[in-house]
Amino acid sequence: MPGVIVTPIVRQFRTLAPEVNVQVLHTALTDQVDHLLDGRVDVCFVRLPLPVDTFDIVPLFPEPRVAALSDEHPMAQARVVDIAELTPYRLLQDAGDVPEWRGTVFHTTSLRNGSEADRPTTIEESLEAVASSTGFIVVPAGLADFYRRPDIRYVQLTGVPPRMVALAYTKNRKMPSIDQFAKVVIAALGSDGSAIGR
């Protein structure tokens, strides 16, 4: 998952469980659930929410969210912006991701051809739209660190709660190595060790 560095955790786990074949797979925000459900991964670092009826979830730490603005945006040089100050500007993501925001949502009718296929669907497409001053997006701070660009400014955001970063695995995937990995993750990244959905 972009924004979480897992290398030290994987190294430690490989030392503790050399018999386990550990492979690290990069997942995008949009395909984490699919990777877990189809078995491509046994565990996944995720940003909540996820369906608790399907997954065991170990909360790790809250992650603040930031506004991604074009470097030409009137608020791009601000240190902190409240979500209410962004009301006049177009949000380029599902408004359900940022229910605290009350402004204009990106509509495909404002595009040249008006087709749904032209709507930004990936983080890269969304950032390209932000850079071209089409609007703004709200992303977790770790994601902002991962996707640095000279034409985008990430501004600390108030008025929105942080997103919880967690370790998730499907309920039907019970293996001692998963529990052992979870303990290593908890020791490295935090959490009280209590799982959601167990």
Side-chain angles (χ1 to χ4, degrees):
M1 176 179 78
V4 177
I5 298 172
V6 300
T7 308
I9 295 166
V10 170
R11 281 185 189 145
Q12 184 178 359
F13 181 69
R14 282 182 174 145
T15 301
L16 295 172
E19 73 283 358
V20 178
N21 179 15
V22 178
Q23 296 178 359
V24 178
L25 177 67
H26 174 82
T27 61
L29 291 174
T30 54
D31 61 14
Q32 294 173 334
V33 170
D34 293 338
H35 280 65
L36 283 164
L37 290 175
D38 68 17
R40 279 181 275 179
V41 298
D42 295 317
V43 297
C44 190
F45 289 94
V46 298
R47 289 184 175 93
L48 298 181
L50 281 184
V52 295
D53 58 332
T54 307
F55 301 104
D56 280 327
I57 298 168
V58 180
L60 297 171
F61 59 89
E63 182 180 30
R65 294 190 285 166
V66 297
L69 306 172
S70 162
D71 63 347
E72 297 175 356
H73 192 281
M75 295 184 182
Q77 300 310 314
R79 292 191 58 170
V80 178
V81 172
D82 189 83
I83 191 68
E85 296 176 82
L86 294 172
T87 300
Y89 304 99
R90 182 177 284 146
L91 181 66
L92 299 175
Q93 68 197 89
D94 183 348
D97 291 342
V98 192
E100 304 82 6
W101 178 79
R102 308 276 186 255
T104 307
V105 178
F106 177 85
H107 291 290
T108 55
T109 54
S110 65
L111 294 172
R112 211 180 24 234
N113 300 328
S115 116
E116 189 66 28
D118 290 333
R119 183 182 187 134
T121 57
T122 66
I123 185 69
E124 294 83 3
E125 290 171 356
S126 296
L127 290 173
E128 196 59 43
V130 167
S132 66
S133 299
T134 304
F136 75 99
I137 60 174
V138 174
V139 297
L143 200 72
D145 289 340
F146 189 79
Y147 286 101
R148 287 284 170 195
R149 291 178 52 147
D151 52 357
I152 291 180
R153 300 286 181 264
Y154 294 103
V155 179
Q156 184 180 346
L157 197 55
T158 60
V160 297
R163 282 280 163 89
M164 182 60 72
V165 173
L167 184 71
Y169 46 96
T170 57
K171 287 186 178 283
N172 63 353
R173 216 147 172 119
K174 302 294 183 194
M175 298 184 295
S177 58
I178 290 178
D179 291 335
Q180 189 177 13
F181 184 77
K183 288 177 185 173
V184 171
V185 170
I186 290 165
L189 297 178
S191 175
D192 60 6
S194 60
I196 299 172
R198 279 193 175 172

